[in-house]
Amino acid sequence: MKNRFAIMATDERGARWYAVHEPMFGGWCAMTRPDLGIRQEDGDTHTHARANVLLPIVQSALTNFVWSVAKFR
C-alpha cells in the first residue's frame, strides 16, 4: 500500500482535524477522523506532492488552524 498523506491540524485540546474538499459545503472544510470514516472518500488523502500543492489553498481557505502535511494513519 502506498503512503498517503492528509492536510492536518491540531486544536488547543489536542483534537486532530483534517482538511477535506467538500463541494456540498462550498469547498474546503475541517473534519474529524470519525467524519472521514463516514465519508469514506479516497480523495481525502493524497500523495505527498499533491498534499503540498493543496496546502497553501487550505491555509488560505481555513484560517482558524495551522495546517501541515502529515502521513495519514
Side-chain angles (χ1 to χ4, degrees):
M1 185 170 141
K2 292 183 179 180
N3 288 331
R4 300 300 292 175
F5 295 84
I7 301 170
M8 190 185 86
T10 304
D11 67 18
E12 65 278 353
R13 292 174 292 190
R16 289 185 179 168
W17 292 86
Y18 298 89
V20 176
H21 190 263
E22 181 54 75
M24 185 171 75
F25 296 135
W28 288 96
C29 60
M31 293 188 173
T32 62
R33 184 66 183 243
D35 295 331
L36 293 179
I38 292 168
R39 284 174 46 90
Q40 295 181 347
E41 298 267 339
D42 287 335
D44 294 340
T45 61
H46 316 279
T47 63
H48 192 261
R50 177 82 176 138
N52 279 302
V53 167
L54 294 173
L55 181 60
I57 298 167
V58 170
Q59 289 170 327
S60 65
L62 301 172
T63 58
N64 291 343
F65 293 119
V66 177
W67 296 96
S68 62
V69 172
K71 194 171 185 178
F72 187 76
R73 299 171 194 224

